[in-house]
Amino acid sequence: VIGQQMPSPRAPAILQSSGQQVNTRVAVTPLSNPTFSGSYEYNTTIQMINTANNEIIGTAVVAQNNNYTLKVTKPLAVGKYNLIVVAVDSSGRVSHPSRTFGLQVTEPRHS
């Protein structure tokens, strides 16, 4: 809708195959490129941003069912990260950011 503010996206959840969602604010993973899922309005682009340096670390386009799957494309080193997601529509408008959520990348477990 023209002139209407885009709603902030909700923080996404880490996929079980990528790690563990400790609670709604924190996820833990042994992977440097974990995958997250969430929902937003169809055909918008979701950008995941590392708040430490405002770097976009992954993007996804929301599917017709209003869901998206976002794989981190910028490998993350072991450590703790504060992340946000924003939505960008086809005319380039950017939503307010989601609330900040944490990701802890742990040493990979070797079997």
Side-chain angles (χ1 to χ4, degrees), residues 3-105:
Q4 191 171 355
Q5 183 65 44
M6 291 174 62
S8 298
R10 284 196 188 105
I14 196 164
L15 293 185
Q16 283 187 332
S17 58
S18 281
Q20 179 183 0
Q21 193 71 44
V22 177
N23 58 43
T24 58
R25 293 188 174 269
V26 178
V28 178
T29 182
L31 305 177
S32 59
N33 298 87
T35 303
F36 291 80
S37 66
S39 61
Y40 199 73
E41 295 170 15
Y42 169 60
N43 209 28
T44 51
T45 298
I46 300 295
Q47 297 177 337
M48 185 176 285
I49 300 169
N50 179 353
T51 63
N53 56 11
N54 285 327
E55 183 175 31
I56 296 170
I57 61 170
T59 61
V61 176
V62 181
Q64 275 189 302
N65 64 1
N66 294 334
N67 293 325
Y68 66 88
T69 302
L70 185 150
K71 183 174 178 77
V72 172
T73 53
K74 184 95 177 155
L76 300 173
V78 170
K80 291 184 178 181
Y81 296 88
N82 287 318
L83 307 172
I84 57 171
V85 290
V86 295
V88 182
D89 70 10
S90 58
S91 55
R93 292 184 312 151
V94 179
S95 71
H96 285 292
S98 67
R99 65 173 164 67
T100 302
F101 56 99
L103 176 65
Q104 181 170 356
V105 179

